[in-house]
Amino acid sequence: MRYYLIAGEASGDLHGANLMKALRLVDAEAEFRFLGGDLMVSQGGDLVKHYKEMAYMGFLEVLMNLPAIMRNLKQAKSDLLKYKPDALVLIDFPGFNLKVAEFAKQNGIKVFYYISPKVWAWNQRRVLKIKKVVDKLFCILPFEVDFYKTWGMEVDYVGNPLLDAIAAFEADKNFREKHGFSDKPIVALLPGSRKQEILKILPEMLHTANRFPNYQFIIAGAPSFTADFYTQAAFGTQALPVVFSDTYNLLNCAHAAIVASGTATLETALFHVPQVVVYKTSAVSVAIARTLIKIKYISLVNLIMDKPVVKELIQEDCNPQMIAEELEKLLDGNYRHEMQKNYIDLSLKMGSPGASEKTAQLILQTLTNKH
């Protein structure tokens, strides 16, 4: 079978790569063409466009980059028609991917959506569009199944692919030594994977780091950036070490973490690292988001548990003073231990690994039933 995949950011690249690996196990003839990243490239096939040319965050940033987004969309549609895949597999990235799904459906291409768009957060009526343009939808968060049922849509819960990635992780015992880190306890800084969010969030993290001389703060670098970018993004604050493509080893060694809202909050929790979740973007984007978003929390940890397990510091609350106060509580004592107890419950709720394999089997089963 010929598969065309679209992932528009770092987390999608990770999940896309794992899915490609699983598809090849169930379909020896699998061929891939994709918009994605380096991890997907490592699985073979042809890269059409790298996600670093596609990822824009926030309403204002999307508006400012609309011509580039429209060019990317036009290219994806044209390339999709030329390739004529047996299946289009869309991974998250809904603003872009739902437009491609509509186009594919009009042209008789089978559409699979892996990692459901977060329509439960805002613009819930988009479910009606999903019902029309997506043949099969795979969810990775437990509460999504019930949400879609309220809209009369049956979906498959396949578990969460992060569990696959973490299960496959093998800790490097020489991680500290390899990077020249001291024996001081580590606080991991995960400022996100998009340029705009790093520029907003990283300086707040670095100003916080200055207040904790007995800890070493280490940045998890996104693979699409260089060390120089992080130095520039620091805006004159103290330069800190950056670790690229080794976030799991960093989390495995971390005593605590400061994490930008996104997939990384769930990864940090699954490594049982106490964390404070932060987020900051343009004032216009936040003002719009606050009128549209219909959820109580922004972090996946709190959404899955349906309670405030981790503290969320958003926009004006994302400042060195408030981050430092929260971090202080995470370093020792009951608050820290209570969070880690909640993490155990979270892990049980998430279930076992195997999301990629389940999804691959369901895709192939649907395709073979078609013929």
Side-chain angles (χ1 to χ4, degrees), residues 93-125:
F93 203 50
F96 187 92
N97 275 342
L98 284 175
K99 290 181 176 65
V100 180
E102 189 171 22
F103 176 80
K105 191 72 174 172
Q106 288 164 357
N107 286 278
I109 297 169
K110 203 84 171 167
V111 180
F112 298 89
Y113 214 120
Y114 180 45
I115 304 180
S116 154
K118 296 172 182 63
V119 287
W120 36 264
W122 68 287
N123 198 0
Q124 295 187 357
R125 290 187 65 80

PDB file of all heavy atoms in Angstrom, residues 93-125:
ATOM      1  N   PHE A  93      -2.504  18.539  13.948  1.00  0.00           N
ATOM      2  CA  PHE A  93      -2.326  19.687  13.045  1.00  0.00           C
ATOM      3  C   PHE A  93      -3.629  20.026  12.280  1.00  0.00           C
ATOM      4  O   PHE A  93      -3.645  20.111  11.056  1.00  0.00           O
ATOM      5  CB  PHE A  93      -1.191  19.329  12.066  1.00  0.00           C
ATOM      6  CG  PHE A  93      -0.491  20.513  11.446  1.00  0.00           C
ATOM      7  CD1 PHE A  93      -0.024  21.558  12.223  1.00  0.00           C
ATOM      8  CD2 PHE A  93      -0.273  20.562  10.072  1.00  0.00           C
ATOM      9  CE1 PHE A  93       0.635  22.637  11.661  1.00  0.00           C
ATOM     10  CE2 PHE A  93       0.387  21.628   9.497  1.00  0.00           C
ATOM     11  CZ  PHE A  93       0.840  22.670  10.287  1.00  0.00           C
ATOM     12  N   PRO A  94      -4.734  20.259  13.022  1.00  0.00           N
ATOM     13  CA  PRO A  94      -6.058  20.292  12.393  1.00  0.00           C
ATOM     14  C   PRO A  94      -6.330  21.440  11.429  1.00  0.00           C
ATOM     15  O   PRO A  94      -7.015  21.243  10.426  1.00  0.00           O
ATOM     16  CB  PRO A  94      -7.017  20.354  13.585  1.00  0.00           C
ATOM     17  CG  PRO A  94      -6.203  20.896  14.709  1.00  0.00           C
ATOM     18  CD  PRO A  94      -4.813  20.419  14.483  1.00  0.00           C
ATOM     19  N   GLY A  95      -5.829  22.651  11.717  1.00  0.00           N
ATOM     20  CA  GLY A  95      -6.106  23.778  10.834  1.00  0.00           C
ATOM     21  C   GLY A  95      -5.718  23.481   9.395  1.00  0.00           C
ATOM     22  O   GLY A  95      -6.430  23.824   8.448  1.00  0.00           O
ATOM     23  N   PHE A  96      -4.607  22.828   9.224  1.00  0.00           N
ATOM     24  CA  PHE A  96      -4.074  22.465   7.914  1.00  0.00           C
ATOM     25  C   PHE A  96      -4.683  21.138   7.433  1.00  0.00           C
ATOM     26  O   PHE A  96      -5.186  21.026   6.308  1.00  0.00           O
ATOM     27  CB  PHE A  96      -2.548  22.330   8.027  1.00  0.00           C
ATOM     28  CG  PHE A  96      -1.818  22.129   6.724  1.00  0.00           C
ATOM     29  CD1 PHE A  96      -1.322  23.213   6.023  1.00  0.00           C
ATOM     30  CD2 PHE A  96      -1.596  20.851   6.216  1.00  0.00           C
ATOM     31  CE1 PHE A  96      -0.624  23.045   4.826  1.00  0.00           C
ATOM     32  CE2 PHE A  96      -0.902  20.666   5.035  1.00  0.00           C
ATOM     33  CZ  PHE A  96      -0.419  21.768   4.332  1.00  0.00           C
ATOM     34  N   ASN A  97      -4.654  20.151   8.320  1.00  0.00           N
ATOM     35  CA  ASN A  97      -5.004  18.797   7.904  1.00  0.00           C
ATOM     36  C   ASN A  97      -6.476  18.611   7.546  1.00  0.00           C
ATOM     37  O   ASN A  97      -6.805  17.803   6.672  1.00  0.00           O
ATOM     38  CB  ASN A  97      -4.586  17.790   8.981  1.00  0.00           C
ATOM     39  CG  ASN A  97      -3.137  17.371   8.838  1.00  0.00           C
ATOM     40  OD1 ASN A  97      -2.535  17.544   7.783  1.00  0.00           O
ATOM     41  ND2 ASN A  97      -2.561  16.810   9.893  1.00  0.00           N
ATOM     42  N   LEU A  98      -7.377  19.327   8.197  1.00  0.00           N
ATOM     43  CA  LEU A  98      -8.794  19.174   7.852  1.00  0.00           C
ATOM     44  C   LEU A  98      -9.093  19.709   6.449  1.00  0.00           C
ATOM     45  O   LEU A  98      -9.978  19.201   5.759  1.00  0.00           O
ATOM     46  CB  LEU A  98      -9.681  19.851   8.900  1.00  0.00           C
ATOM     47  CG  LEU A  98      -9.831  19.073  10.210  1.00  0.00           C
ATOM     48  CD1 LEU A  98     -10.618  19.880  11.234  1.00  0.00           C
ATOM     49  CD2 LEU A  98     -10.504  17.721   9.981  1.00  0.00           C
ATOM     50  N   LYS A  99      -8.335  20.706   6.012  1.00  0.00           N
ATOM     51  CA  LYS A  99      -8.487  21.218   4.641  1.00  0.00           C
ATOM     52  C   LYS A  99      -7.987  20.176   3.633  1.00  0.00           C
ATOM     53  O   LYS A  99      -8.592  19.964   2.586  1.00  0.00           O
ATOM     54  CB  LYS A  99      -7.737  22.544   4.472  1.00  0.00           C
ATOM     55  CG  LYS A  99      -8.375  23.706   5.233  1.00  0.00           C
ATOM     56  CD  LYS A  99      -7.606  24.994   5.026  1.00  0.00           C
ATOM     57  CE  LYS A  99      -8.294  26.174   5.717  1.00  0.00           C
ATOM     58  NZ  LYS A  99      -8.318  26.027   7.178  1.00  0.00           N
ATOM     59  N   VAL A 100      -6.878  19.527   3.961  1.00  0.00           N
ATOM     60  CA  VAL A 100      -6.365  18.466   3.089  1.00  0.00           C
ATOM     61  C   VAL A 100      -7.337  17.285   3.076  1.00  0.00           C
ATOM     62  O   VAL A 100      -7.575  16.673   2.026  1.00  0.00           O
ATOM     63  CB  VAL A 100      -4.956  18.003   3.539  1.00  0.00           C
ATOM     64  CG1 VAL A 100      -4.437  16.899   2.625  1.00  0.00           C
ATOM     65  CG2 VAL A 100      -3.974  19.166   3.545  1.00  0.00           C
ATOM     66  N   ALA A 101      -7.925  16.970   4.241  1.00  0.00           N
ATOM     67  CA  ALA A 101      -8.885  15.860   4.333  1.00  0.00           C
ATOM     68  C   ALA A 101     -10.078  16.102   3.404  1.00  0.00           C
ATOM     69  O   ALA A 101     -10.517  15.197   2.691  1.00  0.00           O
ATOM     70  CB  ALA A 101      -9.368  15.700   5.778  1.00  0.00           C
ATOM     71  N   GLU A 102     -10.581  17.320   3.416  1.00  0.00           N
ATOM     72  CA  GLU A 102     -11.725  17.676   2.572  1.00  0.00           C
ATOM     73  C   GLU A 102     -11.380  17.486   1.089  1.00  0.00           C
ATOM     74  O   GLU A 102     -12.153  16.922   0.312  1.00  0.00           O
ATOM     75  CB  GLU A 102     -12.125  19.126   2.842  1.00  0.00           C
ATOM     76  CG  GLU A 102     -13.417  19.552   2.185  1.00  0.00           C
ATOM     77  CD  GLU A 102     -13.882  20.928   2.655  1.00  0.00           C
ATOM     78  OE1 GLU A 102     -13.034  21.720   3.145  1.00  0.00           O
ATOM     79  OE2 GLU A 102     -15.076  21.199   2.532  1.00  0.00           O
ATOM     80  N   PHE A 103     -10.201  17.949   0.716  1.00  0.00           N
ATOM     81  CA  PHE A 103      -9.725  17.828  -0.668  1.00  0.00           C
ATOM     82  C   PHE A 103      -9.569  16.352  -1.062  1.00  0.00           C
ATOM     83  O   PHE A 103      -9.982  15.930  -2.151  1.00  0.00           O
ATOM     84  CB  PHE A 103      -8.386  18.564  -0.814  1.00  0.00           C
ATOM     85  CG  PHE A 103      -7.749  18.442  -2.166  1.00  0.00           C
ATOM     86  CD1 PHE A 103      -8.170  19.230  -3.228  1.00  0.00           C
ATOM     87  CD2 PHE A 103      -6.726  17.522  -2.386  1.00  0.00           C
ATOM     88  CE1 PHE A 103      -7.582  19.110  -4.481  1.00  0.00           C
ATOM     89  CE2 PHE A 103      -6.127  17.399  -3.629  1.00  0.00           C
ATOM     90  CZ  PHE A 103      -6.561  18.202  -4.688  1.00  0.00           C
ATOM     91  N   ALA A 104      -8.977  15.562  -0.160  1.00  0.00           N
ATOM     92  CA  ALA A 104      -8.753  14.141  -0.436  1.00  0.00           C
ATOM     93  C   ALA A 104     -10.081  13.408  -0.611  1.00  0.00           C
ATOM     94  O   ALA A 104     -10.238  12.581  -1.522  1.00  0.00           O
ATOM     95  CB  ALA A 104      -7.947  13.510   0.697  1.00  0.00           C
ATOM     96  N   LYS A 105     -11.034  13.729   0.247  1.00  0.00           N
ATOM     97  CA  LYS A 105     -12.352  13.087   0.185  1.00  0.00           C
ATOM     98  C   LYS A 105     -13.030  13.382  -1.161  1.00  0.00           C
ATOM     99  O   LYS A 105     -13.614  12.492  -1.787  1.00  0.00           O
ATOM    100  CB  LYS A 105     -13.216  13.591   1.346  1.00  0.00           C
ATOM    101  CG  LYS A 105     -14.497  12.806   1.553  1.00  0.00           C
ATOM    102  CD  LYS A 105     -14.215  11.441   2.118  1.00  0.00           C
ATOM    103  CE  LYS A 105     -15.513  10.724   2.471  1.00  0.00           C
ATOM    104  NZ  LYS A 105     -15.256   9.337   2.842  1.00  0.00           N
ATOM    105  N   GLN A 106     -12.913  14.635  -1.602  1.00  0.00           N
ATOM    106  CA  GLN A 106     -13.497  15.028  -2.897  1.00  0.00           C
ATOM    107  C   GLN A 106     -12.861  14.269  -4.057  1.00  0.00           C
ATOM    108  O   GLN A 106     -13.479  14.094  -5.108  1.00  0.00           O
ATOM    109  CB  GLN A 106     -13.313  16.539  -3.118  1.00  0.00           C
ATOM    110  CG  GLN A 106     -14.189  17.408  -2.238  1.00  0.00           C
ATOM    111  CD  GLN A 106     -13.716  18.862  -2.204  1.00  0.00           C
ATOM    112  OE1 GLN A 106     -12.694  19.214  -2.804  1.00  0.00           O
ATOM    113  NE2 GLN A 106     -14.451  19.698  -1.485  1.00  0.00           N
ATOM    114  N   ASN A 107     -11.620  13.824  -3.855  1.00  0.00           N
ATOM    115  CA  ASN A 107     -10.888  13.137  -4.913  1.00  0.00           C
ATOM    116  C   ASN A 107     -10.806  11.621  -4.705  1.00  0.00           C
ATOM    117  O   ASN A 107      -9.952  10.948  -5.290  1.00  0.00           O
ATOM    118  CB  ASN A 107      -9.491  13.746  -5.055  1.00  0.00           C
ATOM    119  CG  ASN A 107      -9.534  15.106  -5.723  1.00  0.00           C
ATOM    120  OD1 ASN A 107      -9.594  15.201  -6.942  1.00  0.00           O
ATOM    121  ND2 ASN A 107      -9.534  16.172  -4.931  1.00  0.00           N
ATOM    122  N   GLY A 108     -11.677  11.106  -3.838  1.00  0.00           N
ATOM    123  CA  GLY A 108     -11.801   9.659  -3.678  1.00  0.00           C
ATOM    124  C   GLY A 108     -10.662   8.977  -2.957  1.00  0.00           C
ATOM    125  O   GLY A 108     -10.435   7.778  -3.127  1.00  0.00           O
ATOM    126  N   ILE A 109      -9.914   9.732  -2.133  1.00  0.00           N
ATOM    127  CA  ILE A 109      -8.803   9.141  -1.365  1.00  0.00           C
ATOM    128  C   ILE A 109      -9.291   8.831   0.054  1.00  0.00           C
ATOM    129  O   ILE A 109      -9.944   9.659   0.689  1.00  0.00           O
ATOM    130  CB  ILE A 109      -7.589  10.104  -1.314  1.00  0.00           C
ATOM    131  CG1 ILE A 109      -7.047  10.337  -2.736  1.00  0.00           C
ATOM    132  CG2 ILE A 109      -6.491   9.541  -0.409  1.00  0.00           C
ATOM    133  CD1 ILE A 109      -6.035  11.465  -2.828  1.00  0.00           C
ATOM    134  N   LYS A 110      -8.984   7.640   0.525  1.00  0.00           N
ATOM    135  CA  LYS A 110      -9.391   7.216   1.867  1.00  0.00           C
ATOM    136  C   LYS A 110      -8.640   8.042   2.916  1.00  0.00           C
ATOM    137  O   LYS A 110      -7.413   8.166   2.854  1.00  0.00           O
ATOM    138  CB  LYS A 110      -9.044   5.733   2.035  1.00  0.00           C
ATOM    139  CG  LYS A 110      -9.860   5.019   3.080  1.00  0.00           C
ATOM    140  CD  LYS A 110     -11.182   4.562   2.529  1.00  0.00           C
ATOM    141  CE  LYS A 110     -11.896   3.646   3.526  1.00  0.00           C
ATOM    142  NZ  LYS A 110     -13.288   3.440   3.166  1.00  0.00           N
ATOM    143  N   VAL A 111      -9.371   8.615   3.878  1.00  0.00           N
ATOM    144  CA  VAL A 111      -8.782   9.533   4.862  1.00  0.00           C
ATOM    145  C   VAL A 111      -8.825   8.929   6.270  1.00  0.00           C
ATOM    146  O   VAL A 111      -9.895   8.606   6.790  1.00  0.00           O
ATOM    147  CB  VAL A 111      -9.510  10.896   4.865  1.00  0.00           C
ATOM    148  CG1 VAL A 111      -8.877  11.836   5.897  1.00  0.00           C
ATOM    149  CG2 VAL A 111      -9.493  11.524   3.472  1.00  0.00           C
ATOM    150  N   PHE A 112      -7.644   8.804   6.860  1.00  0.00           N
ATOM    151  CA  PHE A 112      -7.519   8.351   8.248  1.00  0.00           C
ATOM    152  C   PHE A 112      -6.949   9.502   9.075  1.00  0.00           C
ATOM    153  O   PHE A 112      -6.012  10.165   8.636  1.00  0.00           O
ATOM    154  CB  PHE A 112      -6.566   7.150   8.342  1.00  0.00           C
ATOM    155  CG  PHE A 112      -7.048   5.954   7.570  1.00  0.00           C
ATOM    156  CD1 PHE A 112      -6.711   5.790   6.228  1.00  0.00           C
ATOM    157  CD2 PHE A 112      -7.836   4.984   8.182  1.00  0.00           C
ATOM    158  CE1 PHE A 112      -7.147   4.693   5.505  1.00  0.00           C
ATOM    159  CE2 PHE A 112      -8.270   3.876   7.464  1.00  0.00           C
ATOM    160  CZ  PHE A 112      -7.936   3.736   6.129  1.00  0.00           C
ATOM    161  N   TYR A 113      -7.510   9.711  10.263  1.00  0.00           N
ATOM    162  CA  TYR A 113      -6.994  10.783  11.124  1.00  0.00           C
ATOM    163  C   TYR A 113      -6.476  10.160  12.404  1.00  0.00           C
ATOM    164  O   TYR A 113      -7.229   9.591  13.184  1.00  0.00           O
ATOM    165  CB  TYR A 113      -8.095  11.809  11.441  1.00  0.00           C
ATOM    166  CG  TYR A 113      -7.556  13.215  11.565  1.00  0.00           C
ATOM    167  CD1 TYR A 113      -7.995  14.240  10.744  1.00  0.00           C
ATOM    168  CD2 TYR A 113      -6.574  13.510  12.510  1.00  0.00           C
ATOM    169  CE1 TYR A 113      -7.488  15.527  10.857  1.00  0.00           C
ATOM    170  CE2 TYR A 113      -6.056  14.785  12.623  1.00  0.00           C
ATOM    171  CZ  TYR A 113      -6.520  15.789  11.790  1.00  0.00           C
ATOM    172  OH  TYR A 113      -5.990  17.054  11.907  1.00  0.00           O
ATOM    173  N   TYR A 114      -5.151  10.263  12.578  1.00  0.00           N
ATOM    174  CA  TYR A 114      -4.496   9.686  13.755  1.00  0.00           C
ATOM    175  C   TYR A 114      -4.141  10.831  14.694  1.00  0.00           C
ATOM    176  O   TYR A 114      -3.468  11.780  14.299  1.00  0.00           O
ATOM    177  CB  TYR A 114      -3.244   8.940  13.304  1.00  0.00           C
ATOM    178  CG  TYR A 114      -2.437   8.286  14.408  1.00  0.00           C
ATOM    179  CD1 TYR A 114      -3.049   7.560  15.418  1.00  0.00           C
ATOM    180  CD2 TYR A 114      -1.053   8.365  14.419  1.00  0.00           C
ATOM    181  CE1 TYR A 114      -2.309   6.944  16.395  1.00  0.00           C
ATOM    182  CE2 TYR A 114      -0.293   7.748  15.392  1.00  0.00           C
ATOM    183  CZ  TYR A 114      -0.927   7.032  16.384  1.00  0.00           C
ATOM    184  OH  TYR A 114      -0.191   6.424  17.368  1.00  0.00           O
ATOM    185  N   ILE A 115      -4.602  10.718  15.920  1.00  0.00           N
ATOM    186  CA  ILE A 115      -4.485  11.772  16.930  1.00  0.00           C
ATOM    187  C   ILE A 115      -5.527  12.835  16.602  1.00  0.00           C
ATOM    188  O   ILE A 115      -5.311  13.750  15.816  1.00  0.00           O
ATOM    189  CB  ILE A 115      -3.073  12.367  17.044  1.00  0.00           C
ATOM    190  CG1 ILE A 115      -2.086  11.239  17.312  1.00  0.00           C
ATOM    191  CG2 ILE A 115      -3.033  13.421  18.146  1.00  0.00           C
ATOM    192  CD1 ILE A 115      -0.652  11.656  17.459  1.00  0.00           C
ATOM    193  N   SER A 116      -6.666  12.635  17.174  1.00  0.00           N
ATOM    194  CA  SER A 116      -7.840  13.469  16.897  1.00  0.00           C
ATOM    195  C   SER A 116      -7.553  14.951  17.079  1.00  0.00           C
ATOM    196  O   SER A 116      -6.866  15.349  18.016  1.00  0.00           O
ATOM    197  CB  SER A 116      -8.956  13.064  17.872  1.00  0.00           C
ATOM    198  OG  SER A 116      -9.841  14.126  18.092  1.00  0.00           O
ATOM    199  N   PRO A 117      -8.097  15.788  16.170  1.00  0.00           N
ATOM    200  CA  PRO A 117      -8.007  17.243  16.397  1.00  0.00           C
ATOM    201  C   PRO A 117      -8.669  17.582  17.739  1.00  0.00           C
ATOM    202  O   PRO A 117      -9.652  16.941  18.121  1.00  0.00           O
ATOM    203  CB  PRO A 117      -8.834  17.822  15.236  1.00  0.00           C
ATOM    204  CG  PRO A 117      -8.912  16.747  14.217  1.00  0.00           C
ATOM    205  CD  PRO A 117      -8.858  15.446  14.965  1.00  0.00           C
ATOM    206  N   LYS A 118      -8.130  18.576  18.425  1.00  0.00           N
ATOM    207  CA  LYS A 118      -8.645  18.899  19.766  1.00  0.00           C
ATOM    208  C   LYS A 118      -9.906  19.772  19.673  1.00  0.00           C
ATOM    209  O   LYS A 118      -9.967  20.876  20.209  1.00  0.00           O
ATOM    210  CB  LYS A 118      -7.551  19.567  20.592  1.00  0.00           C
ATOM    211  CG  LYS A 118      -6.380  18.619  20.828  1.00  0.00           C
ATOM    212  CD  LYS A 118      -5.199  19.305  21.469  1.00  0.00           C
ATOM    213  CE  LYS A 118      -4.040  18.346  21.647  1.00  0.00           C
ATOM    214  NZ  LYS A 118      -3.490  17.819  20.381  1.00  0.00           N
ATOM    215  N   VAL A 119     -10.913  19.226  18.981  1.00  0.00           N
ATOM    216  CA  VAL A 119     -12.150  19.982  18.785  1.00  0.00           C
ATOM    217  C   VAL A 119     -12.929  20.146  20.079  1.00  0.00           C
ATOM    218  O   VAL A 119     -13.796  21.010  20.179  1.00  0.00           O
ATOM    219  CB  VAL A 119     -13.051  19.320  17.709  1.00  0.00           C
ATOM    220  CG1 VAL A 119     -12.485  19.517  16.330  1.00  0.00           C
ATOM    221  CG2 VAL A 119     -13.235  17.836  17.991  1.00  0.00           C
ATOM    222  N   TRP A 120     -12.630  19.297  21.078  1.00  0.00           N
ATOM    223  CA  TRP A 120     -13.290  19.428  22.373  1.00  0.00           C
ATOM    224  C   TRP A 120     -12.858  20.707  23.092  1.00  0.00           C
ATOM    225  O   TRP A 120     -13.529  21.166  24.003  1.00  0.00           O
ATOM    226  CB  TRP A 120     -13.004  18.204  23.255  1.00  0.00           C
ATOM    227  CG  TRP A 120     -11.630  17.641  23.080  1.00  0.00           C
ATOM    228  CD1 TRP A 120     -11.278  16.604  22.269  1.00  0.00           C
ATOM    229  CD2 TRP A 120     -10.408  18.094  23.702  1.00  0.00           C
ATOM    230  NE1 TRP A 120      -9.916  16.366  22.353  1.00  0.00           N
ATOM    231  CE2 TRP A 120      -9.359  17.259  23.216  1.00  0.00           C
ATOM    232  CE3 TRP A 120     -10.108  19.103  24.608  1.00  0.00           C
ATOM    233  CZ2 TRP A 120      -8.042  17.427  23.615  1.00  0.00           C
ATOM    234  CZ3 TRP A 120      -8.795  19.269  25.010  1.00  0.00           C
ATOM    235  CH2 TRP A 120      -7.781  18.442  24.512  1.00  0.00           C
ATOM    236  N   ALA A 121     -11.728  21.276  22.675  1.00  0.00           N
ATOM    237  CA  ALA A 121     -11.219  22.491  23.332  1.00  0.00           C
ATOM    238  C   ALA A 121     -11.929  23.749  22.839  1.00  0.00           C
ATOM    239  O   ALA A 121     -12.241  24.646  23.606  1.00  0.00           O
ATOM    240  CB  ALA A 121      -9.715  22.621  23.106  1.00  0.00           C
ATOM    241  N   TRP A 122     -12.157  23.814  21.531  1.00  0.00           N
ATOM    242  CA  TRP A 122     -12.850  24.976  20.969  1.00  0.00           C
ATOM    243  C   TRP A 122     -13.404  24.616  19.598  1.00  0.00           C
ATOM    244  O   TRP A 122     -12.966  23.675  18.970  1.00  0.00           O
ATOM    245  CB  TRP A 122     -11.924  26.201  20.904  1.00  0.00           C
ATOM    246  CG  TRP A 122     -10.801  26.086  19.912  1.00  0.00           C
ATOM    247  CD1 TRP A 122      -9.686  25.319  20.019  1.00  0.00           C
ATOM    248  CD2 TRP A 122     -10.691  26.760  18.662  1.00  0.00           C
ATOM    249  NE1 TRP A 122      -8.893  25.460  18.925  1.00  0.00           N
ATOM    250  CE2 TRP A 122      -9.472  26.348  18.075  1.00  0.00           C
ATOM    251  CE3 TRP A 122     -11.493  27.680  17.972  1.00  0.00           C
ATOM    252  CZ2 TRP A 122      -9.046  26.809  16.838  1.00  0.00           C
ATOM    253  CZ3 TRP A 122     -11.058  28.151  16.744  1.00  0.00           C
ATOM    254  CH2 TRP A 122      -9.859  27.717  16.193  1.00  0.00           C
ATOM    255  N   ASN A 123     -14.410  25.375  19.162  1.00  0.00           N
ATOM    256  CA  ASN A 123     -15.060  25.147  17.868  1.00  0.00           C
ATOM    257  C   ASN A 123     -15.517  23.692  17.726  1.00  0.00           C
ATOM    258  O   ASN A 123     -15.167  22.995  16.785  1.00  0.00           O
ATOM    259  CB  ASN A 123     -14.114  25.522  16.721  1.00  0.00           C
ATOM    260  CG  ASN A 123     -14.850  25.725  15.402  1.00  0.00           C
ATOM    261  OD1 ASN A 123     -16.070  25.582  15.337  1.00  0.00           O
ATOM    262  ND2 ASN A 123     -14.110  26.045  14.361  1.00  0.00           N
ATOM    263  N   GLN A 124     -16.326  23.254  18.687  1.00  0.00           N
ATOM    264  CA  GLN A 124     -16.750  21.855  18.718  1.00  0.00           C
ATOM    265  C   GLN A 124     -17.572  21.456  17.488  1.00  0.00           C
ATOM    266  O   GLN A 124     -17.630  20.277  17.134  1.00  0.00           O
ATOM    267  CB  GLN A 124     -17.544  21.587  19.999  1.00  0.00           C
ATOM    268  CG  GLN A 124     -16.691  21.733  21.253  1.00  0.00           C
ATOM    269  CD  GLN A 124     -17.404  21.320  22.517  1.00  0.00           C
ATOM    270  OE1 GLN A 124     -18.572  20.961  22.499  1.00  0.00           O
ATOM    271  NE2 GLN A 124     -16.691  21.362  23.636  1.00  0.00           N
ATOM    272  N   ARG A 125     -18.163  22.427  16.800  1.00  0.00           N
ATOM    273  CA  ARG A 125     -18.962  22.109  15.616  1.00  0.00           C
ATOM    274  C   ARG A 125     -18.105  21.540  14.470  1.00  0.00           C
ATOM    275  O   ARG A 125     -18.631  21.008  13.492  1.00  0.00           O
ATOM    276  CB  ARG A 125     -19.739  23.343  15.135  1.00  0.00           C
ATOM    277  CG  ARG A 125     -20.873  23.735  16.094  1.00  0.00           C
ATOM    278  CD  ARG A 125     -21.732  24.842  15.510  1.00  0.00           C
ATOM    279  NE  ARG A 125     -22.443  24.400  14.311  1.00  0.00           N
ATOM    280  CZ  ARG A 125     -23.560  23.676  14.326  1.00  0.00           C
ATOM    281  NH1 ARG A 125     -24.092  23.299  15.479  1.00  0.00           N
ATOM    282  NH2 ARG A 125     -24.148  23.338  13.202  1.00  0.00           N
TER     283      ARG A 125
END
